[in-house]
Amino acid sequence: HITNEKMDSLKLYEDAFITSKVDSSQYNQVRGKNMTGYFKDNELNKMFVNGNGQSIYYAQEENETKDVAGINKADCSNMMILFNKRKAHKITFLTHPNATLYPPEKFPAEDLYLKGFNWQSSRRPLKMEDIFVRYTKTGQKRAESTLFSKMKQ
């Protein structure tokens, strides 16, 4: 949803998934039935997960090296994620949480990726306009959507 030419909110339906790269092989991941994101100054500020929420989150030390202190795996019906500087900053488990924080070396290898994980860096939106770009089934960009064309006029 766009208000005054600024992104206001975004709704993801039916098996929604968001992810962010921690390093070359580690990814923070959240999935759920539906998600609603809210923007502040065109930056994602918070995201609500509604139904069947799952997450894998790499807790990092608050030092210069940002070493991974632990890996949190959680199942929770509803969640809220707060963002700061384009990164997940805090996850709040709202309804029926079941979570385990593992030392990095003890995290089960078969659980590193949530069902449906598929990192596609070439399709990652980097600016608001990218959200309105359409792709073919083979991953090729189509012309920009008519909605965004109208917004630019």
Side-chain angles (χ1 to χ4, degrees):
H1 187 257
I2 298 171
T3 305
N4 297 325
E5 296 186 19
K6 289 189 176 186
M7 194 68 140
D8 177 64
S9 62
L10 173 71
K11 295 182 187 270
L12 305 171
Y13 298 104
E14 302 299 322
D15 208 17
F17 204 113
I18 60 171
T19 185
S20 65
K21 195 173 196 174
V22 177
D23 69 20
S24 63
S25 64
Q26 299 172 328
Y27 301 87
N28 290 322
Q29 305 157 62
V30 178
R31 71 183 297 255
K33 184 174 181 182
N34 298 307
M35 293 184 194
T36 304
Y38 296 94
F39 291 79
K40 184 177 179 181
D41 299 323
N42 278 337
E43 296 284 332
L44 187 59
N45 184 48
K46 64 182 154 185
M47 176 82 70
F48 287 99
V49 178
N50 299 302
N52 305 327
Q54 295 181 302
S55 71
I56 294 175
Y57 182 78
Y58 288 79
Q60 295 178 287
E61 298 283 354
E62 293 188 23
N63 58 23
E64 290 179 19
T65 62
K66 302 284 185 194
D67 293 330
V68 174
I71 305 169
N72 190 55
K73 182 176 193 285
D75 292 311
C76 183
S77 295
N78 300 313
M79 302 178 199
M80 180 180 65
I81 302 113
L82 298 178
F83 293 84
N84 186 13
K85 297 179 183 172
R86 295 185 165 195
K87 295 189 184 258
H89 174 68
K90 180 180 180 183
I91 298 177
T92 303
F93 303 111
L94 302 171
T95 311
H96 307 295
N98 180 12
T100 303
L101 179 64
Y102 294 89
E105 66 280 358
K106 302 258 184 185
F107 192 80
E110 65 274 7
D111 290 341
L112 283 173
Y113 305 105
L114 294 174
K115 180 182 175 188
F117 174 83
N118 185 355
W119 184 253
Q120 298 179 17
S121 62
S122 64
R123 294 180 69 178
R124 180 176 175 250
L126 299 174
K127 57 191 181 299
M128 184 178 73
E129 294 86 358
D130 293 343
I131 295 170
F132 300 100
V133 173
R134 303 289 186 241
Y135 291 88
T136 66
K137 288 183 180 181
T138 60
Q140 299 298 314
K141 282 186 181 181
R142 290 184 183 166
E144 66 185 32
S145 76
T146 56
L147 172 65
F148 188 69
S149 297
K150 290 176 186 175
M151 284 176 34
K152 292 196 312 190
Q153 295 176 354

